[in-house]
Amino acid sequence: MSKKVVTFGEIMLRLQTPSYQRISQAKSLEVEFGGGEANVAVSVSNYGMQGCFVTKLPDNAWGDKCISELRAMNVCTKHIARGGDRIGVYFVEKGASQRASTVLYDRANSAIALASADDFNWEEIFEGAEWFHWTGITPALSDASAANCLMACKKAKEMGVKVSCDLNFRKKLWTSEKAGKVMSELMPYVDVLIANEEDAEKVFGIKASATNITGGELSDEGYKDVAKQLVEKFGVKMVAITLRESISASVNNWAALLYDGKDFFKSKKYNIQIVDRVGGGDSFGGGLIYALLAGYSNQDSIEFAVAASCLKHSIEGDFNRVSVKEVEALMGGDGSGRVQR
């Protein structure tokens, strides 16, 4: 039986302008679905594990289509509650060169934001599960969503399920002050914490030294100190920090650090020509969860996660549609992009 990974959060209708068009010039929009935790469930399912996504969707055609898309990616949807009035929507305008990508949200009062504790039977959901993943987006949706997340974390720990969290701070959803308060209450249940260059500072006020994010200058030593502080403050067992050097909207350097409370593990760095960066962090989280559960060494786990995310940047849409074999080939140094015959 494959290992079961449960994720919990919001999946949204993703409406994207064709190619690199601006919203002001678009005559049509492309339909997809995406959301942090759903993207992770898709990744682990692609790698042969049992990804199980938990959310609440309206009982209408959009909810039906969303579930159908997840099932097509081999994600378990049996614990998705139905009800509420709407699915959240977000609009994507892909950037290029020096013009940044932009995301516009229309997600207020979505079904998952208004979900109640009665919508989820966590004991049943976690039966047979080995891992539970959520992101900072979920408790940011509403006070009710934060309460549901806390309930899930408590039940996961009670049942011996490992818990991971991607901080994923979203300033359009809540303030740093509110995020710090709510997330601090959830951190005692977290085993593996994932963050990027900005999250630790925006949520907990822990800033990396000798770093200029907008200038693309990141200090390994600064982020090692951030990881140490997160372990000391919250007692998490592992901290993974993604390191994105943004040269432009089209070109990034991409790497990551993993800290296990004793040693640091740094991945190789990839120079990425970006097709679509939305979901890049989620593909990293999905890769890390898979690798740790599959028994990879800490060094190989961070290499797998970064290579998986590197490949995701070449794929349209939120979902990372790659296999273990493809990720391991890139880990092994095959990044030439030559036609595979």
Side-chain angles (χ1 to χ4, degrees), residues 61-278:
W62 282 119
D64 293 343
K65 180 172 172 59
C66 183
I67 289 172
S68 177
E69 295 269 334
L70 289 167
R71 286 177 177 163
M73 301 301 295
N74 295 315
V75 172
C76 168
T77 61
K78 66 184 288 188
H79 300 296
I80 292 179
R82 303 301 296 271
D85 294 328
R86 67 184 305 246
I87 184 173
V89 180
Y90 78 107
F91 301 88
V92 180
E93 179 187 276
K94 285 201 304 177
S97 191
Q98 278 65 46
R99 177 173 60 83
S101 297
T102 60
V103 173
L104 177 65
Y105 293 110
D106 177 17
R107 69 199 305 178
N109 299 316
S110 64
I112 183 61
L114 301 180
S116 70
D118 295 336
D119 285 315
F120 310 108
N121 183 338
W122 292 110
E123 187 154 352
E124 182 181 307
I125 291 167
F126 289 132
E127 186 177 350
E130 297 197 38
W131 201 287
F132 174 50
H133 178 77
W134 55 282
T135 80
I137 296 170
T138 302
L141 296 173
S142 65
D143 289 345
S145 193
N148 284 330
C149 198
L150 179 60
M151 190 178 300
C153 285
K154 287 180 175 178
K155 181 55 71 171
K157 295 309 279 185
E158 182 185 311
M159 295 178 68
V161 178
K162 191 162 283 190
V163 178
S164 62
C165 168
D166 187 333
L167 283 181
N168 255 358
F169 177 73
R170 294 291 185 268
K171 64 184 178 183
K172 292 181 180 179
L173 290 177
W174 57 0
T175 64
S176 288
E177 183 182 15
K178 178 82 179 279
K181 180 177 182 297
V182 174
M183 295 296 282
S184 292
E185 293 172 0
L186 289 159
M187 283 302 103
Y189 304 95
V190 174
D191 299 293
V192 179
L193 183 61
I194 301 169
N196 68 14
E197 317 91 78
E198 299 178 274
D199 288 335
E201 178 187 357
K202 292 288 172 40
V203 179
F204 298 123
I206 300 173
K207 180 174 170 54
S209 60
T211 289
N212 178 1
I213 292 166
T214 54
E217 299 169 8
L218 305 182
S219 161
D220 285 0
E221 292 308 312
Y223 284 106
K224 286 180 179 179
D225 183 54
V226 167
K228 283 181 178 178
Q229 288 188 61
L230 288 168
V231 168
E232 289 167 5
K233 185 176 178 70
F234 298 113
V236 297
K237 296 179 177 64
M238 278 188 174
V239 174
I241 297 181
T242 56
L243 305 171
R244 184 187 296 276
E245 297 172 353
S246 295
I247 298 161
S248 71
S250 303
V251 180
N252 285 181
N253 289 326
W254 182 242
L257 282 169
L258 182 66
Y259 179 53
D260 66 0
K262 184 175 70 171
D263 298 314
F264 287 95
F265 305 87
K266 172 82 182 286
S267 77
K268 68 179 73 169
K269 183 189 292 186
Y270 295 93
N271 179 260
I272 304 173
Q273 307 293 315
I274 297 172
V275 171
D276 189 344
R277 66 162 283 183
V278 178

